[in-house]
Amino acid sequence: MNDTDKRKLLSGLSHAALILNAVVIPVLVPIVILLATHDPIVRGNAKEAINFTINIIICGVISSILILVEGIGVFLLFFLAIISFIMPLIATIYAVKNVNKPYRYPLIWHFL
C-alpha cells in the first residue's frame, strides 16, 4: 500500500467513524489515528473529526437544556441529528478525493 492509498484510507476512516461508530464513542477512532500517524494531512483530518464531535456534543447538551427551558430543543436535536450524519459523509468523500488537503468542517469551533 503506497502513501496515497494509506492517506485516503486513514483520512476517510477519521470522518467515516463518526457515522459508523455512532453507538460507541465516535471520537475514539480519530484519536487513535491522530496518535498513530505522523502524516500531516491525516492528522489534520483526524483533528477536524475530533473537533466536529466535540461541537456536536456541546450542541447536543445545549439543545437538551433548551428542551426543558423552551421546548425548541426538540427541533434543534432533530436538526443536529441530520447534521451529524450529513457532514461526516461529505467530509469522508472530500478526504478520499482530495488527498493533499484536510477537510475543514464549516461553522465549528476548533479546539485542537
Side-chain angles (χ1 to χ4, degrees):
M1 179 181 289
N2 62 21
D3 287 338
T4 304
D5 291 339
K6 185 177 177 182
R7 183 179 281 177
K8 281 182 185 180
L9 175 69
L10 292 177
S11 293
L13 187 60
S14 293
H15 298 289
L18 303 179
I19 299 169
L20 300 174
N21 195 12
V23 176
V24 184
I25 301 173
V27 76
L28 287 180
V29 173
I31 288 174
V32 169
I33 290 172
L34 181 66
L35 296 174
T37 187
H38 298 291
D39 185 345
I41 303 298
V42 175
R43 289 178 62 86
N45 279 309
K47 285 180 184 179
E48 280 297 306
I50 294 167
N51 283 326
F52 182 74
T53 303
I54 293 169
N55 278 272
I56 290 295
I57 291 169
I58 290 171
C59 291
V61 169
I62 292 170
S63 297
S64 299
I65 292 170
L66 287 175
I67 288 174
L68 301 172
V69 175
E70 197 62 39
I72 193 168
V74 174
F75 299 110
L76 292 175
L77 282 174
F78 178 71
F79 180 70
L80 189 63
I82 292 171
I83 293 297
S84 67
F85 177 76
I86 292 174
M87 292 308 296
L89 186 63
I90 292 170
T92 302
I93 293 168
Y94 181 90
V96 170
K97 288 189 176 193
N98 300 311
V99 294
N100 295 322
K101 185 178 176 189
Y103 180 76
R104 300 281 292 187
Y105 286 96
L107 304 173
I108 67 167
W109 300 296
H110 291 90
F111 299 103
L112 300 177

